[in-house]
Amino acid sequence: MIEISGLTKAFASGKGIFDLNLTVREGEVFGYLGPNGAGKSTTIRHLMGYMKPDRGSSRIAGKDCWNQAPAIHSRVGYLPGEIAFMEGIDGLEFLNLMSGMRGMKDNKRRDDLIERFQFDIKTPIRKMSKGMKQKVGIVAAFMHDPDILILDEPTSGLDPLMQRLFIDLILEEKARGKTVLMSSHIFQEVDRTCDRVAILKEGRLMAEKNVADLVLVQRRLFDVVLASEEAAAALSRSGLEVSKCEGVRVRIAVQGDYNLFLRELSQYDVLSLDVHELDLEEIFMHYYDREETL
Ligand SMILES: Nc1ncnc2c1ncn2[C@@H]1O[C@H](COP(=O)(O)OP(=O)(O)OP(=O)(O)O)[C@@H](O)[C@H]1O
């Protein structure tokens, strides 16, 4: 459904995106990840036809994103990373403008979305918080019920409750067969919604993975508190991968083989055991260390 081939755009600064190749299949939710400045928004702007590539191309539903942008816009719901709103209008006026441009007759879906994300659409946009503006952007991207959704960090600025509502919305759209490409930094959101992910670093594709495989390679850090400093020191010498030992606290990294970790731990008097969740970037940083670029 979305095909990026050899896509290259080099800015004068030397940054940009370089020889990207990616395919998002119909009905798939695809996570597009990478540290700040990696080139995620630049890729997405090419998909929307807002930037002309130096080399290569991108296509959505068979149409070239640069030459046939208007045809693509009619099928896509787009949430930009930063939404540029006109001055002096409120949320409802903005949404009316967008629905007018799309020739929408029926506002039921729009009104359902507004109710779901709970915000006062009569607030002037310049007075809205970042999260509120983000909600307006989400409604604008989803209200015409597009087949394809391209979302640039959709939950940025949303509180945890709203992030959950957003995840539910993506899962519903996925069940309805929609194709979604979204950039994100939040592991939970990617883990719960995406089928596959690609990670970008300095404009180059580092990896493309099924989310299930990514979770398997995930390294976890455990914070263990033992009954004495002697025991903590002994555990640090046990051959497990110890990343920190302070007093009675030991931080141990485990990847894959939990049994060995549990067997070792069972020999001690354990006062507490916490798992330190790695965020997506940390997971990928470890991933980079072990894998060559594609
Ligand atoms: N129009 C432009 N002209 C020059 N440089 C640009 C332009 N757009 C982006 N860049 C640079 O290209 C790099 C990639 O930017 P991009 O916004 O695509 O990153 P990103 O992965 O979306 O990051 P973030 O998570 O911070 O939004 C950055 O170094 C940015 O400064």
Side-chain angles (χ1 to χ4, degrees):
M1 186 61 107
I2 302 176
E3 290 168 300
I4 298 178
S5 66
L7 194 69
T8 300
K9 177 82 173 183
F11 297 118
S13 58
K15 308 268 184 191
I17 50 175
F18 306 96
D19 199 23
L20 289 187
N21 294 292
L22 264 187
T23 303
V24 180
R25 300 171 200 131
E26 188 172 350
E28 181 169 60
V29 181
F30 194 90
Y32 197 43
L33 315 166
N36 291 125
K40 302 179 298 292
S41 301
T42 302
T43 313
I44 288 176
R45 284 188 203 114
H46 279 87
L47 290 177
M48 294 307 295
Y50 299 141
M51 267 187 185
K52 188 175 185 213
D54 295 343
R55 280 195 305 285
S57 65
S58 44
R59 301 180 81 77
I60 295 183
K63 301 223 161 30
D64 183 85
C65 294
W66 176 250
N67 293 317
Q68 295 169 285
I72 288 172
H73 289 178
S74 64
R75 290 191 63 177
V76 170
Y78 170 53
L79 177 70
E82 273 176 34
I83 310 163
F85 292 107
M86 303 86 174
E87 279 295 307
I89 60 172
D90 64 29
L92 183 61
E93 285 163 338
F94 173 77
L95 292 172
N96 281 339
L97 209 71
M98 296 298 285
S99 49
M101 275 160 54
R102 289 179 180 138
M104 280 171 58
K105 300 273 181 299
D106 180 3
N107 286 326
K108 181 171 181 323
R109 185 171 161 84
R110 180 193 77 181
D111 296 341
D112 286 349
L113 285 163
I114 292 168
E115 197 176 317
R116 188 163 178 164
F117 284 97
Q118 298 161 25
F119 64 100
D120 177 12
I121 45 171
K122 296 297 283 175
T123 308
I125 289 182
R126 73 184 154 74
K127 286 196 180 161
M128 286 184 177
S129 65
K130 178 165 176 11
M132 226 170 143
K133 285 185 193 159
Q134 192 71 1
K135 291 177 186 181
V136 177
I138 290 173
V139 174
F142 285 77
M143 67 183 180
H144 54 306
D145 203 14
D147 305 342
I148 305 160
L149 290 144
I150 297 183
L151 313 168
D152 198 350
E153 300 207 15
T155 57
S156 87
L158 297 186
D159 62 40
L161 179 68
M162 290 299 144
Q163 287 182 8
R164 270 219 303 278
L165 283 179
F166 177 80
I167 289 174
D168 292 343
L169 176 63
I170 292 289
L171 292 175
E172 278 170 35
E173 295 305 289
K174 180 175 170 172
R176 297 174 66 217
K178 305 298 174 79
T179 306
V180 183
L181 180 142
M182 64 178 191
S183 68
S184 175
H185 284 294
I186 302 168
F187 184 67
Q188 266 171 316
E189 147 183 319
V190 171
D191 187 24
R192 289 203 44 208
T193 56
C194 295
D195 304 301
R196 284 192 305 137
V197 291
I199 182 143
L200 200 66
K201 189 189 180 191
E202 294 167 4
R204 292 175 202 281
L205 204 61
M206 300 298 296
E208 202 182 327
K209 285 265 154 201
N210 290 324
V211 169
D213 295 342
L214 192 70
V215 172
L216 275 183
V217 302
Q218 185 178 347
R219 201 172 85 125
R220 283 178 190 274
L221 296 176
F222 289 92
D223 289 321
V224 184
V225 178
L226 297 184
S228 72
E229 289 192 13
E230 292 71 31
L235 179 62
S236 331
R237 293 190 298 270
S238 64
L240 294 171
E241 188 187 337
V242 173
S243 63
K244 202 157 75 179
C245 177
E246 280 170 2
V248 292
R249 295 173 180 277
V250 189
R251 175 169 285 183
I252 296 169
V254 184
Q255 188 170 350
D257 192 354
Y258 290 93
N259 292 323
L260 180 69
F261 168 63
L262 290 173
R263 268 201 304 276
E264 196 60 46
L265 217 57
S266 67
Q267 299 173 40
Y268 296 87
D269 184 10
V270 178
L271 299 185
S272 89
L273 176 65
D274 278 318
V275 59
H276 167 82
E277 292 287 345
L278 298 184
D279 69 23
L280 205 55
E281 238 167 85
E282 287 176 293
I283 293 166
F284 272 114
M285 288 308 160
H286 289 293
Y287 196 74
Y288 290 150
D289 295 343
R290 291 178 301 107
E291 299 247 337
E292 296 297 314
T293 12
L294 289 176

